[in-house]
Coordinates of all heavy atoms in Angstrom, one line a residue:
M989 N 23.2 -42.7 -0.3 CA 22.6 -41.5 -0.9 C 21.3 -41.0 -0.3 O 20.5 -41.8 0.3 CB 22.2 -41.8 -2.4 CG 21.8 -40.7 -3.2 SD 20.9 -41.2 -4.8 CE 22.1 -42.0 -5.6
E990 N 21.2 -39.7 -0.1 CA 20.0 -39.2 0.6 C 18.7 -39.4 -0.2 O 18.7 -39.5 -1.5 CB 20.1 -37.6 0.6 CG 20.9 -37.1 1.8 CD 21.0 -35.6 1.8 OE1 19.9 -35.0 1.6 OE2 22.0 -35.2 2.0
R991 N 17.7 -39.6 0.5 CA 16.4 -39.9 -0.2 C 15.9 -38.6 -0.8 O 16.2 -37.5 -0.4 CB 15.3 -40.2 0.9 CG 15.3 -41.7 1.2 CD 14.3 -42.0 2.3 NE 14.3 -43.5 2.5 CZ 13.3 -44.2 2.2 NH1 12.2 -43.7 1.6 NH2 13.3 -45.5 2.4
G992 N 15.3 -38.7 -1.9 CA 14.8 -37.6 -2.7 C 15.9 -36.9 -3.5 O 15.7 -35.8 -4.1
C993 N 17.1 -37.4 -3.4 CA 18.3 -36.8 -4.2 C 18.0 -37.1 -5.6 O 17.8 -38.2 -6.0 CB 19.6 -37.5 -3.6 SG 21.1 -36.5 -4.2
K994 N 18.2 -36.1 -6.4 CA 17.9 -36.2 -7.8 C 19.0 -37.0 -8.4 O 20.3 -36.8 -8.3 CB 17.8 -34.9 -8.5 CG 17.2 -35.0 -9.9 CD 17.0 -33.6 -10.5 CE 16.6 -33.7 -11.9 NZ 16.9 -32.6 -12.7
R995 N 18.6 -38.1 -9.2 CA 19.6 -38.9 -9.9 C 19.9 -38.4 -11.3 O 19.1 -38.0 -12.0 CB 19.1 -40.4 -10.0 CG 19.1 -41.0 -8.6 CD 18.6 -42.4 -8.8 NE 18.6 -43.1 -7.5 CZ 18.2 -44.4 -7.3 NH1 17.8 -45.1 -8.3 NH2 18.3 -44.8 -6.1
L996 N 21.2 -38.6 -11.6 CA 21.6 -38.2 -13.0 C 21.9 -39.3 -13.8 O 22.4 -40.3 -13.4 CB 22.9 -37.3 -12.9 CG 22.8 -35.9 -12.3 CD1 24.1 -35.2 -12.3 CD2 21.9 -35.0 -13.1
N997 N 21.5 -39.3 -15.1 CA 21.9 -40.3 -16.0 C 22.5 -39.7 -17.3 O 22.2 -38.6 -17.6 CB 20.5 -41.0 -16.5 CG 19.9 -41.8 -15.4 OD1 19.2 -41.2 -14.5 ND2 20.1 -43.1 -15.4
C998 N 23.4 -40.4 -17.8 CA 24.0 -39.9 -19.0 C 22.9 -40.0 -20.1 O 22.2 -40.9 -20.2 CB 25.1 -41.1 -19.4 SG 25.8 -40.6 -21.1
Q999 N 22.8 -38.9 -20.8 CA 21.8 -38.7 -21.7 C 22.1 -39.3 -23.1 O 21.3 -39.4 -23.9 CB 21.5 -37.2 -21.9 CG 20.8 -36.5 -20.8 CD 20.5 -35.1 -21.1 OE1 21.4 -34.2 -21.0 NE2 19.2 -34.8 -21.4
T1000 N 23.2 -40.0 -23.2 CA 23.6 -40.8 -24.4 C 23.4 -42.3 -24.2 O 22.6 -42.9 -25.0 CB 25.0 -40.5 -24.8 OG1 25.1 -39.1 -25.1 CG2 25.4 -41.3 -26.0
C1001 N 23.9 -42.8 -23.2 CA 23.8 -44.2 -22.9 C 22.8 -44.7 -21.9 O 22.5 -45.7 -21.7 CB 25.2 -44.9 -22.6 SG 25.8 -44.4 -21.1
G1002 N 22.5 -43.6 -21.0 CA 21.4 -43.9 -20.0 C 21.9 -44.4 -18.7 O 21.3 -44.5 -17.7
I1003 N 23.3 -44.6 -18.6 CA 23.8 -45.1 -17.4 C 23.7 -44.2 -16.2 O 23.7 -42.9 -16.5 CB 25.4 -45.5 -17.7 CG1 25.9 -46.4 -16.5 CG2 26.2 -44.2 -17.7 CD1 27.3 -46.9 -16.7
E1004 N 23.5 -44.6 -15.0 CA 23.3 -43.7 -13.9 C 24.6 -43.2 -13.4 O 25.6 -43.9 -13.3 CB 22.6 -44.5 -12.8 CG 22.1 -43.5 -11.6 CD 21.3 -44.2 -10.6 OE1 20.5 -45.0 -10.9 OE2 21.6 -43.9 -9.4
I1005 N 24.7 -41.9 -13.2 CA 25.8 -41.4 -12.5 C 25.8 -41.5 -11.1 O 24.8 -41.0 -10.5 CB 25.9 -39.7 -12.9 CG1 25.7 -39.5 -14.5 CG2 27.3 -39.2 -12.4 CD1 26.7 -39.9 -15.4
P1006 N 26.8 -42.2 -10.5 CA 26.6 -42.4 -9.0 C 26.8 -41.2 -8.3 O 27.4 -40.2 -8.8 CB 27.7 -43.4 -8.8 CG 28.6 -43.3 -9.9 CD 27.9 -42.8 -11.1
A1007 N 26.1 -41.1 -7.1 CA 26.1 -39.8 -6.3 C 27.6 -39.5 -6.1 O 28.4 -40.4 -5.7 CB 25.6 -40.1 -4.9
G1008 N 28.0 -38.3 -6.3 CA 29.4 -37.8 -6.1 C 30.3 -38.3 -7.3 O 31.5 -38.1 -7.2
G1009 N 29.7 -39.0 -8.3 CA 30.5 -39.4 -9.4 C 30.9 -38.5 -10.4 O 30.2 -37.4 -10.4
I1010 N 31.8 -38.8 -11.3 CA 32.2 -37.8 -12.2 C 31.3 -37.9 -13.5 O 31.0 -39.0 -13.9 CB 33.7 -38.1 -12.7 CG1 34.6 -37.8 -11.5 CG2 34.1 -37.2 -13.9 CD1 36.1 -38.2 -11.7
F1011 N 30.9 -36.7 -13.9 CA 30.0 -36.6 -15.1 C 30.5 -35.4 -15.9 O 31.2 -34.6 -15.3 CB 28.6 -36.8 -14.9 CG 28.0 -35.5 -14.2 CD1 27.5 -34.5 -14.9 CD2 28.1 -35.4 -12.8 CE1 27.0 -33.4 -14.3 CE2 27.5 -34.3 -12.2 CZ 27.0 -33.2 -12.9
Y1012 N 30.0 -35.3 -17.0 CA 30.4 -34.1 -17.9 C 29.2 -33.5 -18.6 O 28.1 -34.1 -18.7 CB 31.4 -34.6 -19.1 CG 32.7 -35.2 -18.6 CD1 32.6 -36.7 -18.2 CD2 33.7 -34.5 -18.2 CE1 33.7 -37.3 -17.6 CE2 34.9 -35.1 -17.7 CZ 34.9 -36.5 -17.4 OH 35.9 -37.1 -16.9
I1013 N 29.3 -32.2 -18.8 CA 28.3 -31.5 -19.6 C 28.8 -31.3 -21.0 O 29.9 -30.5 -21.1 CB 27.9 -30.1 -19.0 CG1 27.7 -30.2 -17.4 CG2 26.7 -29.5 -19.7 CD1 26.4 -30.7 -17.0
G1014 N 28.2 -31.9 -22.0 CA 28.6 -31.6 -23.4 C 27.8 -30.5 -23.9 O 26.5 -30.5 -23.7
R1015 N 28.4 -29.5 -24.4 CA 27.7 -28.3 -24.8 C 28.1 -27.9 -26.1 O 29.3 -27.8 -26.4 CB 28.0 -27.2 -23.8 CG 27.1 -25.9 -24.0 CD 27.3 -25.0 -22.8 NE 28.5 -24.4 -22.6 CZ 28.8 -23.2 -23.1 NH1 28.0 -22.5 -23.8 NH2 30.0 -22.7 -23.1
A1016 N 27.3 -27.7 -27.1 CA 27.6 -27.3 -28.4 C 26.7 -26.1 -28.7 O 25.5 -26.0 -28.4 CB 27.2 -28.4 -29.4
E1017 N 27.4 -25.2 -29.2 CA 26.7 -23.8 -29.5 C 26.9 -23.5 -31.0 O 28.0 -23.5 -31.5 CB 27.3 -22.7 -28.6 CG 26.5 -21.5 -28.5 CD 27.2 -20.5 -27.5 OE1 28.4 -20.7 -27.2 OE2 26.4 -19.6 -27.0
I1018 N 25.8 -23.3 -31.6 CA 25.8 -23.0 -33.0 C 25.3 -21.5 -33.2 O 24.2 -21.2 -32.8 CB 24.9 -23.8 -33.9 CG1 25.3 -25.4 -33.5 CG2 25.0 -23.6 -35.3 CD1 24.2 -26.3 -34.0
I1019 N 26.2 -20.6 -33.7 CA 25.8 -19.3 -33.8 C 25.9 -18.8 -35.3 O 26.9 -19.1 -36.0 CB 26.8 -18.4 -33.1 CG1 26.9 -19.0 -31.5 CG2 26.5 -17.0 -33.0 CD1 28.1 -18.5 -30.8
S1020 N 25.0 -18.0 -35.7 CA 25.0 -17.5 -37.1 C 26.2 -16.6 -37.3 O 26.5 -15.8 -36.4 CB 23.7 -16.7 -37.2 OG 23.8 -15.9 -38.4
G1021 N 26.9 -16.8 -38.4 CA 28.1 -16.1 -38.5 C 27.9 -15.1 -39.7 O 27.0 -15.1 -40.4
S1022 N 28.8 -14.1 -39.8 CA 28.8 -13.1 -40.8 C 30.2 -12.7 -41.2 O 31.0 -12.5 -40.2 CB 28.0 -11.9 -40.4 OG 28.1 -10.9 -41.3
D1023 N 30.5 -12.6 -42.4 CA 31.8 -12.0 -42.9 C 31.7 -10.4 -42.9 O 32.7 -9.8 -43.3 CB 32.4 -12.6 -44.1 CG 31.4 -12.4 -45.3 OD1 30.3 -11.6 -45.1 OD2 31.6 -13.0 -46.4
G1024 N 30.5 -9.9 -42.6 CA 30.4 -8.5 -42.7 C 30.0 -7.9 -44.0 O 29.8 -6.8 -44.2
I1025 N 30.1 -8.8 -45.0 CA 29.6 -8.3 -46.3 C 28.2 -8.6 -46.7 O 27.8 -9.8 -46.5 CB 30.6 -9.0 -47.4 CG1 32.0 -8.8 -47.2 CG2 30.1 -8.6 -48.9 CD1 33.0 -9.6 -48.0
L1026 N 27.4 -7.7 -47.0 CA 26.0 -7.9 -47.3 C 26.0 -8.2 -48.9 O 26.7 -7.7 -49.7 CB 25.2 -6.5 -47.2 CG 25.1 -6.2 -45.6 CD1 24.5 -4.8 -45.5 CD2 24.3 -7.2 -44.9
P1027 N 25.1 -9.1 -49.3 CA 25.1 -9.5 -50.7 C 24.5 -8.3 -51.5 O 23.7 -7.6 -51.0 CB 24.0 -10.6 -50.6 CG 23.5 -10.7 -49.2 CD 24.3 -9.9 -48.3
D1028 N 25.2 -8.2 -52.5 CA 24.8 -7.0 -53.4 C 23.7 -7.4 -54.3 O 23.8 -8.1 -55.3 CB 26.1 -6.7 -54.3 CG 26.0 -5.3 -55.0 OD1 25.1 -4.6 -54.6 OD2 26.7 -5.2 -56.0
T1029 N 22.5 -6.9 -53.9 CA 21.3 -7.2 -54.7 C 20.7 -5.9 -55.1 O 21.0 -4.8 -54.5 CB 20.3 -8.0 -54.0 OG1 19.9 -7.2 -52.9 CG2 20.8 -9.3 -53.4
D1030 N 19.9 -6.0 -56.2 CA 19.3 -4.7 -56.6 C 17.9 -4.6 -55.8 O 17.1 -3.7 -56.2 CB 19.0 -4.9 -58.1 CG 20.3 -4.8 -58.9 OD1 21.2 -4.2 -58.4 OD2 20.3 -5.4 -60.0
E1031 N 17.7 -5.4 -54.9 CA 16.4 -5.4 -54.2 C 16.3 -4.2 -53.3 O 17.2 -3.8 -52.6 CB 16.3 -6.6 -53.2 CG 15.9 -8.0 -54.0 CD 15.8 -9.1 -53.1 OE1 16.6 -9.3 -52.3 OE2 14.8 -9.8 -53.2
S1032 N 15.1 -3.7 -53.3 CA 14.9 -2.5 -52.4 C 14.6 -3.0 -51.0 O 14.4 -4.2 -50.7 CB 13.5 -1.8 -52.9 OG 12.4 -2.7 -52.6
A1033 N 14.8 -2.1 -50.0 CA 14.6 -2.4 -48.6 C 13.2 -3.1 -48.4 O 13.0 -4.0 -47.7 CB 14.9 -1.3 -47.7
D1034 N 12.2 -2.5 -49.1 CA 10.8 -3.0 -48.9 C 10.6 -4.3 -49.4 O 10.0 -5.2 -48.8 CB 9.8 -2.0 -49.7 CG 9.6 -0.7 -49.0 OD1 10.0 -0.6 -47.9 OD2 9.0 0.2 -49.7
R1035 N 11.4 -4.6 -50.6 CA 11.2 -6.0 -51.1 C 12.0 -7.0 -50.2 O 11.5 -8.2 -49.9 CB 12.0 -6.0 -52.5 CG 12.1 -7.3 -53.2 CD 10.7 -7.8 -53.8 NE 10.9 -9.2 -54.2 CZ 10.2 -10.2 -53.7 NH1 9.1 -9.9 -52.9 NH2 10.3 -11.4 -54.1
M1036 N 13.1 -6.5 -49.6 CA 13.8 -7.5 -48.6 C 13.0 -7.7 -47.4 O 12.9 -8.9 -46.9 CB 15.1 -6.8 -48.3 CG 16.2 -7.0 -49.4 SD 17.7 -6.0 -49.1 CE 18.6 -7.0 -47.9
I1037 N 12.3 -6.7 -46.9 CA 11.5 -6.9 -45.7 C 10.4 -7.8 -46.1 O 9.9 -8.8 -45.3 CB 10.9 -5.5 -45.2 CG1 12.2 -4.8 -44.6 CG2 9.8 -5.7 -44.1 CD1 11.9 -3.3 -44.3
A1038 N 9.7 -7.7 -47.2 CA 8.6 -8.5 -47.6 C 9.0 -9.9 -47.7 O 8.3 -10.9 -47.3 CB 8.1 -7.9 -49.0
K1039 N 10.2 -10.2 -48.3 CA 10.8 -11.5 -48.4 C 11.0 -12.1 -47.0 O 10.8 -13.3 -46.8 CB 12.1 -11.5 -49.1 CG 12.1 -12.2 -50.5 CD 13.4 -11.8 -51.2 CE 14.4 -13.1 -51.2 NZ 15.5 -12.9 -52.1
A1040 N 11.6 -11.4 -46.0 CA 11.7 -11.8 -44.7 C 10.4 -12.2 -44.1 O 10.3 -13.2 -43.4 CB 12.5 -10.8 -43.9
L1041 N 9.4 -11.4 -44.2 CA 8.1 -11.7 -43.7 C 7.5 -12.9 -44.3 O 6.9 -13.7 -43.6 CB 7.2 -10.5 -43.9 CG 7.4 -9.3 -43.0 CD1 6.5 -8.1 -43.4 CD2 7.2 -9.5 -41.5
H1042 N 7.8 -13.2 -45.5 CA 7.3 -14.3 -46.2 C 7.9 -15.6 -45.6 O 7.2 -16.6 -45.3 CB 7.6 -14.3 -47.7 CG 7.2 -15.5 -48.4 ND1 5.8 -15.8 -48.7 CD2 7.9 -16.5 -49.0 CE1 5.8 -16.9 -49.4 NE2 7.0 -17.3 -49.6
E1043 N 9.2 -15.5 -45.4 CA 9.9 -16.6 -44.6 C 9.3 -16.9 -43.4 O 9.1 -18.1 -43.0 CB 11.4 -16.2 -44.4 CG 12.3 -16.3 -45.6 CD 12.6 -17.7 -46.0 OE1 13.0 -18.5 -45.1 OE2 12.4 -18.0 -47.2
I1044 N 8.9 -16.0 -42.6 CA 8.3 -16.1 -41.2 C 7.0 -16.7 -41.4 O 6.6 -17.6 -40.6 CB 8.2 -14.7 -40.5 CG1 9.6 -14.2 -40.1 CG2 7.3 -14.9 -39.3 CD1 9.7 -12.8 -39.6
N1045 N 6.2 -16.3 -42.4 CA 4.9 -16.8 -42.5 C 4.8 -18.2 -43.2 O 3.7 -18.8 -43.2 CB 4.0 -15.8 -43.3 CG 3.8 -14.5 -42.6 OD1 3.7 -14.6 -41.3 ND2 3.7 -13.4 -43.3
K1046 N 6.0 -18.6 -43.8 CA 6.0 -19.8 -44.5 C 5.8 -21.0 -43.6 O 5.8 -22.2 -44.1 CB 7.4 -19.9 -45.2 CG 7.2 -20.5 -46.6 CD 8.5 -20.3 -47.5 CE 9.7 -20.7 -46.9 NZ 10.9 -20.6 -47.8
G1047 N 5.7 -20.8 -42.3 CA 5.5 -21.9 -41.4 C 6.6 -22.1 -40.4 O 6.5 -23.0 -39.6
K1048 N 7.7 -21.4 -40.5 CA 8.7 -21.5 -39.5 C 8.3 -20.9 -38.3 O 7.9 -19.7 -38.3 CB 10.0 -20.8 -40.0 CG 10.7 -21.6 -41.2 CD 12.0 -21.0 -41.5 CE 12.7 -21.8 -42.5 NZ 14.0 -21.1 -43.0
C1049 N 8.3 -21.6 -37.2 CA 7.9 -21.0 -35.9 C 9.0 -20.1 -35.4 O 10.1 -20.2 -35.8 CB 7.4 -22.1 -34.9 SG 8.9 -23.0 -34.3
E1050 N 8.7 -19.4 -34.4 CA 9.6 -18.5 -33.8 C 10.9 -19.1 -33.3 O 12.0 -18.7 -33.5 CB 8.9 -17.7 -32.6 CG 9.7 -16.4 -32.2 CD 9.0 -15.8 -31.0 OE1 7.7 -15.9 -31.0 OE2 9.7 -15.1 -30.3
Q1051 N 10.7 -20.4 -32.7 CA 11.8 -21.1 -32.2 C 12.8 -21.5 -33.3 O 13.9 -21.4 -33.1 CB 11.4 -22.3 -31.3 CG 12.4 -23.0 -30.5 CD 13.2 -21.9 -29.6 OE1 12.5 -21.3 -28.8 NE2 14.4 -21.9 -29.6
E1052 N 12.2 -22.0 -34.4 CA 13.1 -22.4 -35.6 C 13.9 -21.2 -35.9 O 15.0 -21.4 -36.3 CB 12.1 -22.9 -36.6 CG 11.6 -24.3 -36.5 CD 10.8 -24.7 -37.7 OE1 9.6 -24.3 -37.7 OE2 11.3 -25.4 -38.7
L1053 N 13.2 -20.0 -36.1 CA 13.9 -18.9 -36.7 C 15.0 -18.5 -35.6 O 16.1 -18.2 -36.0 CB 12.9 -17.8 -36.8 CG 11.9 -17.9 -38.0 CD1 10.9 -16.9 -37.9 CD2 12.6 -17.8 -39.3
M1054 N 14.7 -18.6 -34.4 CA 15.7 -18.3 -33.3 C 16.9 -19.3 -33.4 O 18.1 -18.9 -33.3 CB 15.1 -18.3 -31.9 CG 14.1 -17.3 -31.6 SD 14.8 -15.6 -31.4 CE 15.6 -15.8 -29.8
N1055 N 16.5 -20.5 -33.6 CA 17.6 -21.6 -33.7 C 18.6 -21.2 -34.9 O 19.7 -21.8 -34.8 CB 17.0 -23.0 -33.8 CG 16.5 -23.4 -32.4 OD1 16.8 -22.8 -31.5 ND2 15.7 -24.5 -32.5
E1056 N 18.1 -20.7 -35.9 CA 18.9 -20.4 -37.0 C 20.0 -19.3 -36.7 O 21.0 -19.1 -37.5 CB 18.1 -19.9 -38.2 CG 17.4 -21.1 -39.0 CD 16.5 -20.6 -40.1 OE1 16.7 -19.6 -40.6 OE2 15.7 -21.4 -40.5
V1057 N 19.7 -18.6 -35.7 CA 20.6 -17.6 -35.3 C 21.5 -18.0 -34.2 O 22.7 -17.8 -34.1 CB 19.8 -16.2 -34.8 CG1 20.8 -15.2 -34.2 CG2 18.9 -15.7 -35.9
H1058 N 20.9 -18.7 -33.1 CA 21.7 -19.2 -32.0 C 21.0 -20.4 -31.4 O 19.8 -20.4 -31.2 CB 21.8 -18.1 -31.0 CG 22.5 -18.6 -29.7 ND1 21.9 -19.0 -28.6 CD2 23.8 -18.7 -29.5 CE1 22.7 -19.4 -27.7 NE2 23.9 -19.3 -28.2
Q1059 N 21.7 -21.5 -31.3 CA 21.2 -22.7 -30.7 C 22.3 -23.3 -29.8 O 23.4 -23.4 -30.2 CB 20.8 -23.7 -31.8 CG 20.2 -24.9 -31.2 CD 19.6 -25.8 -32.3 OE1 20.0 -25.7 -33.5 NE2 18.6 -26.7 -31.9
E1060 N 21.9 -23.6 -28.6 CA 22.7 -24.3 -27.7 C 22.2 -25.6 -27.4 O 21.0 -25.8 -27.0 CB 22.9 -23.5 -26.5 CG 23.9 -24.0 -25.4 CD 24.0 -23.2 -24.1 OE1 23.1 -23.4 -23.3 OE2 25.0 -22.4 -24.0
I1061 N 23.0 -26.6 -27.4 CA 22.7 -28.0 -27.1 C 23.6 -28.5 -26.0 O 24.7 -28.4 -26.0 CB 22.9 -29.0 -28.4 CG1 22.1 -28.4 -29.6 CG2 22.6 -30.4 -28.0 CD1 22.6 -28.9 -30.9
K1062 N 22.8 -29.0 -24.9 CA 23.6 -29.3 -23.7 C 23.1 -30.8 -23.3 O 22.0 -31.1 -23.3 CB 23.2 -28.4 -22.5 CG 24.0 -27.4 -22.2 CD 23.5 -26.6 -21.0 CE 24.5 -25.8 -20.4 NZ 23.9 -25.0 -19.2
L1063 N 24.1 -31.5 -23.0 CA 23.7 -32.9 -22.5 C 24.7 -33.4 -21.4 O 25.8 -33.1 -21.5 CB 23.5 -34.0 -23.6 CG 24.6 -34.3 -24.6 CD1 24.3 -35.6 -25.2 CD2 24.9 -33.2 -25.6
I1064 N 24.1 -34.2 -20.5 CA 24.9 -34.9 -19.4 C 25.5 -36.1 -19.9 O 24.8 -36.9 -20.6 CB 24.0 -35.1 -18.2 CG1 23.4 -33.8 -17.6 CG2 24.7 -36.0 -17.2 CD1 22.3 -34.1 -16.6
L1065 N 26.8 -36.2 -19.8 CA 27.5 -37.4 -20.4 C 28.4 -38.1 -19.3 O 28.9 -37.5 -18.3 CB 28.5 -36.8 -21.4 CG 28.0 -36.1 -22.6 CD1 29.1 -35.4 -23.3 CD2 27.3 -37.1 -23.5
C1066 N 28.4 -39.4 -19.4 CA 29.4 -40.2 -18.5 C 30.7 -40.1 -19.1 O 30.8 -39.5 -20.3 CB 28.8 -41.7 -18.5 SG 29.1 -42.6 -20.1
G1067 N 31.7 -40.6 -18.6 CA 33.1 -40.5 -19.1 C 33.3 -41.1 -20.4 O 34.0 -40.6 -21.3
R1068 N 32.7 -42.3 -20.7 CA 32.8 -42.9 -22.0 C 32.1 -42.1 -23.1 O 32.6 -42.0 -24.2 CB 32.2 -44.4 -21.9 CG 32.5 -45.2 -23.0 CD 31.8 -46.7 -22.8 NE 30.4 -46.6 -22.8 CZ 29.6 -46.7 -23.8 NH1 30.1 -46.9 -25.0 NH2 28.3 -46.6 -23.8
C1069 N 30.9 -41.7 -22.8 CA 30.1 -40.9 -23.8 C 30.8 -39.4 -24.1 O 30.6 -38.8 -25.1 CB 28.7 -40.7 -23.5 SG 27.9 -42.4 -23.5
R1070 N 31.5 -39.0 -23.1 CA 32.2 -37.7 -23.2 C 33.3 -37.8 -24.5 O 33.4 -37.0 -25.3 CB 33.1 -37.3 -22.0 CG 34.0 -36.1 -22.3 CD 34.9 -35.9 -21.0 NE 36.1 -36.8 -21.0 CZ 37.2 -36.6 -21.5 NH1 37.5 -35.5 -22.2 NH2 38.2 -37.5 -21.5
L1071 N 33.9 -39.0 -24.6 CA 34.9 -39.2 -25.6 C 34.1 -39.3 -26.9 O 34.7 -39.0 -27.9 CB 35.7 -40.5 -25.3 CG 36.5 -40.4 -24.1 CD1 37.2 -41.8 -23.8 CD2 37.7 -39.3 -24.2
I1072 N 32.9 -40.0 -26.9 CA 32.2 -40.2 -28.1 C 31.8 -38.8 -28.6 O 31.9 -38.5 -29.9 CB 31.0 -41.1 -27.9 CG1 31.5 -42.6 -27.6 CG2 30.1 -41.2 -29.1 CD1 30.4 -43.4 -27.0
F1073 N 31.2 -38.0 -27.7 CA 30.7 -36.7 -28.1 C 31.9 -35.9 -28.7 O 31.7 -35.3 -29.8 CB 30.3 -36.0 -26.8 CG 29.7 -34.6 -26.9 CD1 28.4 -34.4 -27.4 CD2 30.5 -33.6 -26.6 CE1 27.9 -33.0 -27.4 CE2 30.1 -32.2 -26.7 CZ 28.7 -32.0 -27.1
R1074 N 32.9 -35.8 -28.0 CA 34.3 -35.1 -28.5 C 34.6 -35.6 -29.8 O 34.9 -34.8 -30.8 CB 35.4 -35.3 -27.5 CG 36.6 -34.5 -27.9 CD 37.9 -35.0 -27.1 NE 38.1 -36.4 -27.7 CZ 39.0 -37.2 -27.1 NH1 39.7 -36.8 -26.1 NH2 39.2 -38.4 -27.5
D1075 N 34.8 -36.9 -30.0 CA 35.3 -37.5 -31.2 C 34.3 -37.2 -32.4 O 34.7 -36.9 -33.5 CB 35.5 -39.0 -31.1 CG 36.7 -39.3 -30.2 OD1 37.5 -38.3 -29.8 OD2 36.9 -40.4 -29.9
R1076 N 33.0 -37.3 -32.1 CA 32.0 -37.0 -33.2 C 32.1 -35.6 -33.7 O 31.9 -35.3 -34.9 CB 30.6 -37.3 -32.7 CG 30.3 -38.8 -32.7 CD 28.9 -39.1 -32.7 NE 28.7 -40.5 -32.5 CZ 27.6 -41.1 -32.1 NH1 26.7 -40.4 -31.7 NH2 27.6 -42.4 -32.1
I1077 N 32.3 -34.6 -32.8 CA 32.4 -33.2 -33.1 C 33.7 -33.0 -33.9 O 33.8 -32.4 -35.0 CB 32.3 -32.3 -31.9 CG1 30.8 -32.3 -31.5 CG2 32.7 -30.9 -32.3 CD1 30.5 -31.5 -30.2
L1078 N 34.8 -33.6 -33.3 CA 36.1 -33.3 -34.1 C 36.1 -34.1 -35.3 O 36.8 -33.6 -36.3 CB 37.2 -33.9 -33.1 CG 37.5 -33.1 -31.8 CD1 38.6 -33.8 -31.0 CD2 37.8 -31.6 -32.2
D1079 N 35.3 -35.1 -35.5 CA 35.4 -35.9 -36.7 C 34.6 -35.1 -37.9 O 34.9 -35.4 -39.1 CB 34.5 -37.2 -36.6 CG 34.7 -38.2 -37.6 OD1 36.0 -38.4 -38.1 OD2 33.8 -38.8 -38.1
M1080 N 33.8 -34.0 -37.5 CA 33.2 -33.2 -38.5 C 34.2 -32.3 -39.2 O 33.9 -31.8 -40.2 CB 32.1 -32.4 -37.8 CG 30.9 -33.1 -37.4 SD 29.6 -32.0 -36.9 CE 29.1 -31.4 -38.4
I1081 N 35.3 -32.1 -38.6 CA 36.3 -31.2 -39.2 C 37.1 -31.9 -40.2 O 37.8 -32.8 -39.9 CB 37.2 -30.6 -38.1 CG1 36.4 -29.9 -36.9 CG2 38.2 -29.5 -38.7 CD1 37.3 -29.7 -35.7
K1082 N 36.8 -31.5 -41.5 CA 37.5 -32.1 -42.6 C 38.4 -31.2 -43.4 O 39.2 -31.7 -44.1 CB 36.4 -32.6 -43.6 CG 35.3 -33.5 -43.1 CD 35.9 -34.9 -42.8 CE 34.7 -35.7 -42.3 NZ 35.1 -36.9 -41.5
Y1083 N 38.2 -29.9 -43.2 CA 39.1 -29.0 -44.0 C 39.7 -27.9 -43.0 O 39.1 -27.7 -42.0 CB 38.1 -28.3 -45.0 CG 37.5 -29.2 -46.0 CD1 36.3 -29.6 -45.8 CD2 38.2 -29.8 -46.9 CE1 35.5 -30.6 -46.6 CE2 37.6 -30.8 -47.8 CZ 36.3 -31.2 -47.6 OH 35.7 -32.0 -48.3
Ligands
LIG1873 ZN1 27.1 -42.5 -21.4

């Protein structure tokens, strides 16, 4: 291996990925969904904006609010942890 070559480790078990070795990128993306139907409320637009501003000021930082809309999680995985990652996600599907 060349000196100064950046080493990769599995971010789950910590095992070092050998130079030229096989590794995987586990990527999960969580995106806010919509069925296109807006809740039918009697609230005025002003009231809805005021409520949204209140949510922002309640202590949720910008990043938290952004994560509620879109969040991407990426991790480097060895071959064994790739299967664990896959199985854990697939295991969430119950219905
Ligand atoms: Zn691993």
Side-chain angles (χ1 to χ4, degrees):
M989 190 195 297
E990 273 180 45
R991 276 177 177 249
C993 194
K994 196 181 171 196
R995 291 183 178 178
L996 289 177
N997 291 76
C998 172
Q999 289 183 279
T1000 297
C1001 70
I1003 197 170
E1004 189 177 317
I1005 311 292
I1010 293 170
F1011 68 94
Y1012 301 88
I1013 311 280
R1015 190 166 69 92
E1017 197 172 19
I1018 307 165
I1019 305 161
S1020 167
S1022 169
D1023 61 5
I1025 300 168
L1026 293 171
D1028 192 19
T1029 65
D1030 292 333
E1031 284 181 311
S1032 68
D1034 284 351
R1035 176 78 190 119
M1036 286 169 76
I1037 291 167
K1039 249 172 98 174
L1041 287 172
H1042 178 71
E1043 282 286 308
I1044 292 167
N1045 293 327
K1046 219 162 59 176
K1048 286 187 177 177
C1049 72
E1050 194 179 337
Q1051 190 57 52
E1052 275 179 286
L1053 292 166
M1054 292 289 285
N1055 286 346
E1056 286 182 16
V1057 178
H1058 177 263
Q1059 185 172 22
E1060 186 180 78
I1061 300 159
K1062 257 181 168 178
L1063 60 162
I1064 294 166
L1065 300 164
C1066 69
R1068 193 177 62 92
C1069 292
R1070 173 187 77 91
L1071 299 174
I1072 295 168
F1073 181 81
R1074 182 201 64 188
D1075 291 349
R1076 286 198 182 160
I1077 289 178
L1078 290 177
D1079 195 45
M1080 286 189 72
I1081 304 169
K1082 306 285 186 208
Y1083 304 98

